[in-house]
Amino acid sequence: MTAILPPTDAGLAEACRILAAGGLVAFPTETVYGLGADATRAEAAAKIYAAKGRPSFNPLIAHVADLDAARREGAFDPVALRLAEAFWPGPLTLVVPVAPGGTVAELARAGLTSVGLRVPSDPVARRLLAAFGRPVAAPSANRSGHVSPTSAAHVLADLGGVIDAVIDGGPTPVGLESTIAAVDAGRITLLRPGAITRAQLGMVAGQTVADADAGDAQAPRAPGRLSAHYAPATPVRLNATEVRAGEALLAFGPKLPPGADRAREILNLSPSGNLTEAASALYGGLRALDACGAAAIAVMPLPAEGLGEAIADRLTRAAAGAPLT
Ligand code: TXA
Ligand code: MG
C-alpha cells in the first residue's frame, strides 16, 4: 500500500517518520516528483534502485535544505559557490567533489568521488528537507526508462504499491528535470540541460559552458543520460511537418501541420508558442498521447534556444528510446 500524504505539517511529519525508518517517500519539487530516501544510509538508497528497476547503480542527487547543508556534503570552489548563490533554491544540480566528512552514502553516489547536490525551491520540498534535517537522495519517481512524473497520479501509475508514500503537492511547475552542471577546479561542464540555461550559467560564471557530450574524456558523465531514458512506449517521430495515418500529434504553437485533422489525438504543449508552458506540459502530454493507442507520436518542431535546448534533449531521448518498451 502506498499512502497518499497531504502537504500539511502532519503529512510531512509522517513522511519524515518513513524516511527515518529507511522507507521511500515520493515528493514534489519544482521540476518533477522525486523518489526520496535517507541519502546517508546505503540500504535506503538501495531500495530506490530496486523500486525503480534501475539496471545499474546510477548516482542519485542529494537534496538538501540550503547552501550550508550542501557545503557540508560537497566542496564548493568559487565558481560553484557563485552558481549556488545565483540559482539556489531552484532547478539546478551541482556536481562537486565530495567534502571531507560528507554524509551521503557511497552507494547513493554510485561510488563516485563527486556528489550531485540540489536545493529545490518547491515549498513542500523545502519544508520536508528542513524537517528531515539530513540529505534526501531522490531520482525522478518513475520506473527506470519511463517518463518523469509531474503529478502524484503519475507517481502512483508507475510506483503505486511499491513505495511507502507520496506527498501530493499538485502538478510540478517546471516539468523538466533540473539542469545538471559539474564544477571542478573552476570549470563548468553541462551534464544535462534544464530550466537554468547554458547561457545563464555562463553569464554568472563568466565562462563558456562546455558540454559533456562534446568529447572531453576527463569530463564527469551523467550516466542517467542514456538514450532510452525518457521513453514512452509509442514510437516518437520528431520534427514532424505533417501528420501521417494513425499518428497522434504533439503540437506547439498556433499553426498545426497538414493532416492534423486526421490525428488520433492532438495535444498542444503551448498554443501561443511559449517554451516555459511547453516544458511544464511535456511529460503529461507524452503520457496522455502514449495512452491513446496511436501508431506513433508526431512531434512538431520547437525552437532550440534557451529552455528549448532542454526540451529538445528530452524529446530526442524519447524518440531514441521508443523501440525499447
Ligand atoms: O529535477 C531533478 O533533477 C529530479 C528531481 C527529483 O530533483 N531528479 C532527477 O534525478 O532527475 P535522476 O536520478 O532521474 O537524474 C539525476 C542525474 C542522473 O543522470 C545521474 O547520473 C546524474 O544526475 N548524477 C547524479 N550525481 C552525479 C555525479 N556525482 N556525477 C555525475 N552525474 C551525476
Ligand atoms: Mg530520471
Side-chain angles (χ1 to χ4, degrees), residues 116-224:
L117 293 163
R118 176 157 116 77
V119 179
S121 63
D122 176 86
V124 175
R126 300 201 74 192
R127 280 162 60 212
L128 177 70
L129 293 168
F132 188 55
R134 289 200 286 278
V136 172
S140 50
N142 52 279
R143 287 203 145 264
S144 185
H146 283 195
V147 171
S148 291
T150 57
S151 71
H154 294 165
V155 175
L156 290 169
D158 267 26
L159 298 171
V162 175
I163 62 176
D164 298 299
V166 55
I167 304 172
D168 188 352
T172 58
V174 175
L176 292 181
E177 304 82 355
S178 61
T179 302
I180 305 181
V183 185
D184 201 10
R187 227 182 107 242
I188 305 174
T189 307
L190 186 63
L191 300 184
R192 179 172 74 184
I196 305 295
T197 63
R198 185 195 297 272
Q200 285 176 293
L201 295 173
M203 189 119 72
V204 164
Q207 60 178 273
T208 52
V209 175
D211 197 322
D213 291 344
D216 179 353
Q218 296 307 308
R221 315 292 297 176

Side-chain angles (χ1 to χ4, degrees), residues 269-297:
L269 294 173
S270 172
S272 68
N274 178 304
L275 284 172
T276 305
E277 187 182 25
S280 75
L282 180 65
Y283 288 146
L286 282 174
R287 277 179 190 259
L289 295 184
D290 199 19
C292 82
I297 300 171

Side-chain angles (χ1 to χ4, degrees), residues 29 33 55 64 66 68 72 85 89 91 94 97 122 133 135 148 162 200 204 216 230 261 263-264 270 274 292 314:
T29 79
Y33 274 70
V64 289
D66 52 35
D68 286 344
R72 288 195 286 275
E85 281 168 349
L94 291 171
D122 176 86
S148 291
V162 175
Q200 285 176 293
V204 164
D216 179 353
Y230 301 92
D261 50 323
R264 287 286 291 256
S270 172
N274 178 304
C292 82
R314 305 310 190 274

